[in-house]
Amino acid sequence: MTFAPRDVFEQILEWSVIPTFDLVLHVDGQGFVLVRRRIAPYKGVWALPGLRMFKGESIDQALTRISTAEVGLDIDPGQRRFLGQYVGRFRTEHQRQDLSTGYLITLPAGSEPTPNPEHFSSSRLSYDDVEPMGAMYRFYLGAARDLLGR
């Protein structure tokens, strides 16, 4: 995977909306995978695993990469359930704006997340919102709870 040089990426952030995916990973009978972020945006906040899409990736490839890279969990992207989209606007990084798409994927009981230590300080499984948590993540968790009847 080739990345844009930082100065080019700064220009992209200044002028473009960034496509991202957020995953509501449901460990059957145990809860949703929540991670505490080390990096902006949402530094220090409980969140969902998510990253931007790379040029050349399919949605399935992006979701698989995100789950593996962020929490070390193998997923079947064909089992995804669409939760909605959310526009995130941030005060960091050139007033960054993301267009996030959220998906619910259920994993078997006993699945253990291993958070990426560069991005997250900890993880937990919970059916409830925890504080502090960004509005985007509350939105996706609410939609996931509705789909699962929780």
Side-chain angles (χ1 to χ4, degrees):
M1 194 71 46
T2 303
F3 298 99
R6 188 65 199 182
D7 62 324
V8 172
F9 187 63
E10 295 285 333
Q11 291 178 4
I12 292 168
L13 290 173
E14 178 72 26
W15 301 105
S16 299
V17 174
I18 307 298
T20 63
F21 293 104
D22 286 289
L23 299 178
V24 179
L25 299 173
H26 172 236
V27 178
D28 196 25
Q30 295 177 263
F32 302 115
V33 175
L34 303 176
V35 288
R36 189 149 195 155
R37 292 181 57 97
R38 287 187 189 271
I39 58 176
Y42 291 119
K43 184 177 181 175
V45 171
W46 287 99
L48 298 167
L51 290 168
R52 65 183 157 266
M53 182 181 212
F54 293 139
K55 189 173 184 173
E57 280 185 317
S58 69
I59 292 172
D60 287 356
Q61 289 168 329
L63 298 179
T64 300
R65 174 183 54 81
I66 291 165
S67 183
T68 303
E70 293 293 85
V71 290
L73 292 169
D74 292 325
I75 62 166
D76 176 358
Q79 299 300 312
R80 72 181 184 264
R81 296 167 71 184
F82 178 73
L83 296 173
Q85 292 186 304
Y86 193 95
V87 175
R89 293 182 177 94
F90 308 101
R91 292 186 185 108
T92 61
E93 299 180 306
H94 303 280
Q95 304 298 305
R96 176 178 170 165
Q97 183 174 336
D98 290 358
L99 174 60
S100 169
T101 303
Y103 289 104
L104 169 65
I105 298 174
T106 297
L107 301 166
S111 297
E112 293 283 332
T114 305
N116 177 341
E118 292 180 21
H119 295 178
F120 310 118
S121 60
S122 60
S123 68
R124 67 177 358 169
L125 296 173
S126 178
Y127 282 111
D128 300 316
D129 293 350
V130 294
E131 293 298 330
M133 179 181 279
M136 175 170 57
Y137 305 120
R138 271 194 265 292
F139 170 78
Y140 288 136
L141 287 171
R145 284 191 288 265
D146 288 348
L147 273 178
L148 295 174
R150 290 198 152 285

PDB file of all heavy atoms in Angstrom, residues 9 25-26 55 60 66 69 75 80 83 101 108 111 118 121 137 148:
ATOM      1  N   PHE A   9      -1.061  14.770   1.985  1.00  0.00           N
ATOM      2  CA  PHE A   9      -2.207  14.376   2.802  1.00  0.00           C
ATOM      3  C   PHE A   9      -2.803  15.580   3.525  1.00  0.00           C
ATOM      4  O   PHE A   9      -4.020  15.704   3.644  1.00  0.00           O
ATOM      5  CB  PHE A   9      -1.825  13.270   3.785  1.00  0.00           C
ATOM      6  CG  PHE A   9      -2.997  12.715   4.538  1.00  0.00           C
ATOM      7  CD1 PHE A   9      -4.032  12.065   3.875  1.00  0.00           C
ATOM      8  CD2 PHE A   9      -3.082  12.858   5.914  1.00  0.00           C
ATOM      9  CE1 PHE A   9      -5.130  11.564   4.565  1.00  0.00           C
ATOM     10  CE2 PHE A   9      -4.175  12.358   6.613  1.00  0.00           C
ATOM     11  CZ  PHE A   9      -5.201  11.711   5.930  1.00  0.00           C
ATOM     12  N   LEU A  25     -18.484  -4.364  15.794  1.00  0.00           N
ATOM     13  CA  LEU A  25     -18.187  -5.790  15.877  1.00  0.00           C
ATOM     14  C   LEU A  25     -18.896  -6.338  17.103  1.00  0.00           C
ATOM     15  O   LEU A  25     -18.571  -5.967  18.235  1.00  0.00           O
ATOM     16  CB  LEU A  25     -16.678  -6.010  15.952  1.00  0.00           C
ATOM     17  CG  LEU A  25     -15.897  -5.497  14.732  1.00  0.00           C
ATOM     18  CD1 LEU A  25     -14.399  -5.601  14.976  1.00  0.00           C
ATOM     19  CD2 LEU A  25     -16.298  -6.238  13.472  1.00  0.00           C
ATOM     20  N   HIS A  26     -19.862  -7.197  16.868  1.00  0.00           N
ATOM     21  CA  HIS A  26     -20.677  -7.774  17.940  1.00  0.00           C
ATOM     22  C   HIS A  26     -20.163  -9.173  18.241  1.00  0.00           C
ATOM     23  O   HIS A  26     -20.241 -10.054  17.384  1.00  0.00           O
ATOM     24  CB  HIS A  26     -22.141  -7.823  17.496  1.00  0.00           C
ATOM     25  CG  HIS A  26     -23.020  -8.549  18.436  1.00  0.00           C
ATOM     26  ND1 HIS A  26     -23.795  -9.620  18.059  1.00  0.00           N
ATOM     27  CD2 HIS A  26     -23.252  -8.369  19.764  1.00  0.00           C
ATOM     28  CE1 HIS A  26     -24.465 -10.064  19.096  1.00  0.00           C
ATOM     29  NE2 HIS A  26     -24.157  -9.325  20.141  1.00  0.00           N
ATOM     30  N   LYS A  55      -7.295   3.973  -1.776  1.00  0.00           N
ATOM     31  CA  LYS A  55      -7.531   3.898  -3.207  1.00  0.00           C
ATOM     32  C   LYS A  55      -7.204   2.487  -3.688  1.00  0.00           C
ATOM     33  O   LYS A  55      -6.188   1.918  -3.308  1.00  0.00           O
ATOM     34  CB  LYS A  55      -6.663   4.929  -3.934  1.00  0.00           C
ATOM     35  CG  LYS A  55      -6.984   5.074  -5.381  1.00  0.00           C
ATOM     36  CD  LYS A  55      -6.222   6.227  -5.988  1.00  0.00           C
ATOM     37  CE  LYS A  55      -6.633   6.434  -7.421  1.00  0.00           C
ATOM     38  NZ  LYS A  55      -6.029   7.640  -7.971  1.00  0.00           N
ATOM     39  N   ASP A  60     -15.188  -4.754   0.837  1.00  0.00           N
ATOM     40  CA  ASP A  60     -14.829  -5.972   1.583  1.00  0.00           C
ATOM     41  C   ASP A  60     -13.364  -5.947   2.015  1.00  0.00           C
ATOM     42  O   ASP A  60     -13.042  -6.310   3.149  1.00  0.00           O
ATOM     43  CB  ASP A  60     -15.092  -7.228   0.754  1.00  0.00           C
ATOM     44  CG  ASP A  60     -16.567  -7.562   0.617  1.00  0.00           C
ATOM     45  OD1 ASP A  60     -17.406  -6.868   1.224  1.00  0.00           O
ATOM     46  OD2 ASP A  60     -16.877  -8.533  -0.105  1.00  0.00           O
ATOM     47  N   ILE A  66      -9.409  -3.261   8.137  1.00  0.00           N
ATOM     48  CA  ILE A  66      -9.678  -2.477   9.344  1.00  0.00           C
ATOM     49  C   ILE A  66      -9.822  -3.398  10.555  1.00  0.00           C
ATOM     50  O   ILE A  66      -9.204  -3.173  11.595  1.00  0.00           O
ATOM     51  CB  ILE A  66     -10.932  -1.602   9.151  1.00  0.00           C
ATOM     52  CG1 ILE A  66     -10.640  -0.491   8.135  1.00  0.00           C
ATOM     53  CG2 ILE A  66     -11.400  -1.018  10.484  1.00  0.00           C
ATOM     54  CD1 ILE A  66     -11.877   0.204   7.605  1.00  0.00           C
ATOM     55  N   ALA A  69      -6.300  -5.013  11.275  1.00  0.00           N
ATOM     56  CA  ALA A  69      -5.283  -4.043  11.701  1.00  0.00           C
ATOM     57  C   ALA A  69      -5.633  -3.369  13.023  1.00  0.00           C
ATOM     58  O   ALA A  69      -4.750  -3.075  13.827  1.00  0.00           O
ATOM     59  CB  ALA A  69      -5.085  -2.979  10.624  1.00  0.00           C
ATOM     60  N   ILE A  75     -12.876 -11.331  10.096  1.00  0.00           N
ATOM     61  CA  ILE A  75     -14.310 -11.178   9.861  1.00  0.00           C
ATOM     62  C   ILE A  75     -14.669 -11.772   8.508  1.00  0.00           C
ATOM     63  O   ILE A  75     -13.805 -11.976   7.647  1.00  0.00           O
ATOM     64  CB  ILE A  75     -14.749  -9.697   9.900  1.00  0.00           C
ATOM     65  CG1 ILE A  75     -14.039  -8.901   8.791  1.00  0.00           C
ATOM     66  CG2 ILE A  75     -14.540  -9.085  11.270  1.00  0.00           C
ATOM     67  CD1 ILE A  75     -14.635  -7.541   8.521  1.00  0.00           C
ATOM     68  N   ARG A  80     -21.788  -8.489   6.654  1.00  0.00           N
ATOM     69  CA  ARG A  80     -22.007  -7.130   7.149  1.00  0.00           C
ATOM     70  C   ARG A  80     -23.455  -6.700   6.968  1.00  0.00           C
ATOM     71  O   ARG A  80     -24.129  -7.087   6.031  1.00  0.00           O
ATOM     72  CB  ARG A  80     -21.064  -6.155   6.457  1.00  0.00           C
ATOM     73  CG  ARG A  80     -21.411  -5.885   5.012  1.00  0.00           C
ATOM     74  CD  ARG A  80     -20.410  -4.917   4.389  1.00  0.00           C
ATOM     75  NE  ARG A  80     -20.751  -4.575   3.046  1.00  0.00           N
ATOM     76  CZ  ARG A  80     -20.247  -5.169   1.960  1.00  0.00           C
ATOM     77  NH1 ARG A  80     -19.367  -6.141   2.087  1.00  0.00           N
ATOM     78  NH2 ARG A  80     -20.616  -4.773   0.764  1.00  0.00           N
ATOM     79  N   LEU A  83     -25.501   0.000   8.687  1.00  0.00           N
ATOM     80  CA  LEU A  83     -26.090   0.749   9.807  1.00  0.00           C
ATOM     81  C   LEU A  83     -26.437   2.183   9.447  1.00  0.00           C
ATOM     82  O   LEU A  83     -27.283   2.799  10.090  1.00  0.00           O
ATOM     83  CB  LEU A  83     -25.139   0.755  11.000  1.00  0.00           C
ATOM     84  CG  LEU A  83     -24.850  -0.595  11.634  1.00  0.00           C
ATOM     85  CD1 LEU A  83     -23.770  -0.461  12.685  1.00  0.00           C
ATOM     86  CD2 LEU A  83     -26.122  -1.200  12.206  1.00  0.00           C
ATOM     87  N   THR A 101     -19.143   5.325   6.946  1.00  0.00           N
ATOM     88  CA  THR A 101     -20.178   4.319   6.724  1.00  0.00           C
ATOM     89  C   THR A 101     -19.999   3.260   7.793  1.00  0.00           C
ATOM     90  O   THR A 101     -18.888   2.755   7.993  1.00  0.00           O
ATOM     91  CB  THR A 101     -20.052   3.701   5.322  1.00  0.00           C
ATOM     92  OG1 THR A 101     -20.119   4.747   4.346  1.00  0.00           O
ATOM     93  CG2 THR A 101     -21.166   2.692   5.066  1.00  0.00           C
ATOM     94  N   PRO A 108     -18.335 -14.929  16.488  1.00  0.00           N
ATOM     95  CA  PRO A 108     -18.700 -15.973  17.450  1.00  0.00           C
ATOM     96  C   PRO A 108     -18.301 -15.611  18.878  1.00  0.00           C
ATOM     97  O   PRO A 108     -17.320 -14.892  19.105  1.00  0.00           O
ATOM     98  CB  PRO A 108     -17.936 -17.204  16.975  1.00  0.00           C
ATOM     99  CG  PRO A 108     -17.039 -16.773  15.877  1.00  0.00           C
ATOM    100  CD  PRO A 108     -17.348 -15.363  15.511  1.00  0.00           C
ATOM    101  N   SER A 111     -14.665 -14.577  20.779  1.00  0.00           N
ATOM    102  CA  SER A 111     -13.722 -13.794  19.964  1.00  0.00           C
ATOM    103  C   SER A 111     -13.076 -12.741  20.853  1.00  0.00           C
ATOM    104  O   SER A 111     -13.771 -12.025  21.576  1.00  0.00           O
ATOM    105  CB  SER A 111     -14.446 -13.123  18.794  1.00  0.00           C
ATOM    106  OG  SER A 111     -14.995 -14.077  17.924  1.00  0.00           O
ATOM    107  N   GLU A 118      -0.764   1.214  18.791  1.00  0.00           N
ATOM    108  CA  GLU A 118      -0.452   2.544  18.261  1.00  0.00           C
ATOM    109  C   GLU A 118      -1.693   3.430  18.216  1.00  0.00           C
ATOM    110  O   GLU A 118      -1.580   4.646  18.282  1.00  0.00           O
ATOM    111  CB  GLU A 118       0.152   2.432  16.861  1.00  0.00           C
ATOM    112  CG  GLU A 118       1.525   1.799  16.849  1.00  0.00           C
ATOM    113  CD  GLU A 118       2.084   1.701  15.444  1.00  0.00           C
ATOM    114  OE1 GLU A 118       1.625   2.440  14.552  1.00  0.00           O
ATOM    115  OE2 GLU A 118       2.983   0.877  15.245  1.00  0.00           O
ATOM    116  N   SER A 121      -5.552   2.516  23.578  1.00  0.00           N
ATOM    117  CA  SER A 121      -4.956   2.213  24.878  1.00  0.00           C
ATOM    118  C   SER A 121      -5.608   1.007  25.534  1.00  0.00           C
ATOM    119  O   SER A 121      -4.997   0.368  26.388  1.00  0.00           O
ATOM    120  CB  SER A 121      -5.056   3.430  25.809  1.00  0.00           C
ATOM    121  OG  SER A 121      -6.414   3.785  26.004  1.00  0.00           O
ATOM    122  N   TYR A 137     -20.234   7.353  17.227  1.00  0.00           N
ATOM    123  CA  TYR A 137     -20.210   5.986  17.738  1.00  0.00           C
ATOM    124  C   TYR A 137     -21.522   5.648  18.444  1.00  0.00           C
ATOM    125  O   TYR A 137     -22.030   4.540  18.314  1.00  0.00           O
ATOM    126  CB  TYR A 137     -19.010   5.775  18.651  1.00  0.00           C
ATOM    127  CG  TYR A 137     -17.728   6.142  17.953  1.00  0.00           C
ATOM    128  CD1 TYR A 137     -16.902   7.143  18.441  1.00  0.00           C
ATOM    129  CD2 TYR A 137     -17.355   5.515  16.775  1.00  0.00           C
ATOM    130  CE1 TYR A 137     -15.737   7.496  17.789  1.00  0.00           C
ATOM    131  CE2 TYR A 137     -16.192   5.866  16.105  1.00  0.00           C
ATOM    132  CZ  TYR A 137     -15.393   6.852  16.615  1.00  0.00           C
ATOM    133  OH  TYR A 137     -14.251   7.202  15.959  1.00  0.00           O
ATOM    134  N   LEU A 148     -30.360  -5.709  16.376  1.00  0.00           N
ATOM    135  CA  LEU A 148     -30.250  -6.932  17.169  1.00  0.00           C
ATOM    136  C   LEU A 148     -31.382  -7.091  18.187  1.00  0.00           C
ATOM    137  O   LEU A 148     -31.444  -8.099  18.885  1.00  0.00           O
ATOM    138  CB  LEU A 148     -28.904  -6.950  17.900  1.00  0.00           C
ATOM    139  CG  LEU A 148     -27.664  -7.028  17.011  1.00  0.00           C
ATOM    140  CD1 LEU A 148     -26.405  -6.877  17.851  1.00  0.00           C
ATOM    141  CD2 LEU A 148     -27.637  -8.324  16.213  1.00  0.00           C
TER     142      LEU A 148
END
